Amino acid sequence: MSRTNLITASELRTEINHPSLRIFDCRHDLGRPEAGRQDYMQAHIPSAVFCALDEHLSDPVGSHGGRHPLPSIERMERVFSALGIQSGTSNVVAYDDAGGSWAARLWWMLRYLGHDCVRILDGGFTAWKSLPGDTEMGSGTPPAPAVFRAEPHLGMRVDIDKVKGRADGVHLVDARAAERFRGDNEPIDPIAGHIPGAVNLPWAGNHSASLHLLPVEQLRARYENLHPESIFYCGSGVTSCISVLAMEEAGLGMPRLYTGSWSDWISWPDNPVATGD
């Protein structure tokens, strides 16, 4: 099966000078929001542009919507135009150093807006550095503005009402680590636990020890028992995107994403919370 959502480091090296290529460095650290940009300044893939989770891929935090609220379609059009993404023609590659768990947010947003030519660098920046070749330092060349026009697939996302009203048999999948799902440990959000009725398939289980996505047959074995209209969530709708990608890579279709995720769910005080397995 062709892995249409991934590109290897060696494949990227052969495409690096293609005029339609747009590379985005999406490295991030929840505990140190400035770390991603600092890492980019120290070394990045040539011609890559830094794409910040908080600045480019999220709206400001409000009362609801989670810790990384999804921007409006109009704002995403403006952001992606300013980043030099031409809708329909730009060949986008996104990478990070965490198994694609940050870069997949950009992947998901572009797919949501109808831009299908977007791939994750499998193995991330580590894979790039493992091959002969150069990296760059500093802020890089600012992208030339482009024109991005969205053709959104609105069915790819759900809000809290659709989570509550999901049909019988539709799985609600919590992609956070098991200890956060159970409520044993919650290092980020003010309330521990999970949405009642959810099952736990941590996003980190999609990867090998080298942070490459697992082979298709292993991903299929992981997700094949899920309903094709399953809803995925995590802490804030970011890291669960790599699980959405993994399920599609397995040939099982594109599940839906609860973009506000756990941090939105608990922003409504009347919502129930479950703990344990």
Side-chain angles (χ1 to χ4, degrees):
M1 183 181 296
S2 174
R3 311 204 77 174
T4 57
N5 296 306
L6 301 177
I7 184 171
T8 67
S10 57
E11 289 170 339
L12 180 56
R13 288 198 184 281
T14 67
E15 297 183 20
I16 195 72
N17 294 317
H18 196 283
S20 70
L21 185 66
R22 302 291 182 270
I23 306 174
F24 293 96
D25 186 316
C26 300
R27 284 177 285 178
H28 185 72
D29 185 329
L30 280 176
R32 298 185 303 128
E34 73 287 351
R37 190 180 297 274
Q38 291 173 352
D39 291 342
Y40 170 84
M41 294 290 287
Q42 291 172 4
H44 57 264
I45 294 175
S47 77
V49 172
F50 185 67
C51 185
L53 174 61
D54 295 321
E55 177 185 351
H56 298 112
L57 305 181
S58 306
D59 259 354
V61 176
S63 299
H64 304 293
R67 285 183 280 104
H68 295 106
L70 188 71
S72 68
I73 290 172
E74 293 74 20
R75 180 165 183 258
M76 286 189 278
E77 286 182 321
R78 293 194 300 271
V79 167
F80 293 151
S81 294
L83 288 173
I85 303 175
Q86 185 76 31
S87 50
T89 59
S90 290
N91 173 17
V92 176
V93 172
Y95 72 90
D96 57 34
D97 56 2
S101 58
W102 307 118
R105 169 76 164 206
L106 176 58
W107 170 87
W108 185 90
M109 289 170 68
L110 288 172
R111 290 291 301 274
Y112 171 65
L113 297 180
H115 188 89
D116 292 339
C117 195
V118 52
R119 292 169 290 175
I120 300 293
L121 176 59
D122 195 26
F125 192 49
T126 300
W128 176 266
K129 292 188 296 182
S130 71
L131 298 179
D134 296 331
T135 59
E136 291 182 344
M137 297 179 63
S139 57
T141 303
V147 178
F148 187 93
R149 293 288 180 264
E151 296 181 7
H153 301 297
L154 299 178
M156 284 177 56
R157 63 172 297 196
V158 301
D159 59 16
I160 194 169
D161 292 330
K162 290 184 179 179
V163 171
K164 291 179 176 179
R166 65 191 183 277
D168 291 342
V170 173
H171 295 94
L172 180 62
V173 183
D174 188 317
R176 296 174 300 161
E179 61 270 18
R180 294 183 67 195
F181 175 83
R182 292 191 302 264
D184 299 343
N185 178 39
E186 181 46 70
I188 302 170
D189 292 307
I191 298 175
H194 60 267
I195 301 173
V199 298
N200 186 216
L201 288 172
W203 68 264
N206 296 315
H207 299 87
S208 67
S210 60
L211 294 181
H212 287 78
L213 208 66
L214 293 175
V216 167
E217 57 272 16
Q218 293 184 37
L219 294 175
R220 177 177 287 275
R222 192 164 197 247
Y223 292 112
E224 62 185 352
N225 292 326
L226 294 181
H227 191 283
E229 295 183 359
S230 293
I231 298 169
F232 280 70
Y233 78 92
C234 54
S236 63
V238 177
T239 54
S240 48
C241 291
I242 195 63
S243 293
V244 172
L245 182 152
M247 189 166 168
E248 192 186 47
E249 275 293 297
L252 300 172
M254 178 79 80
R256 295 174 292 168
L257 179 69
Y258 174 22
T259 50
S261 285
W262 177 246
S263 53
D264 176 60
W265 181 266
I266 60 173
S267 71
W268 304 87
D270 293 336
N271 281 343
V273 170
T275 57
D277 293 322

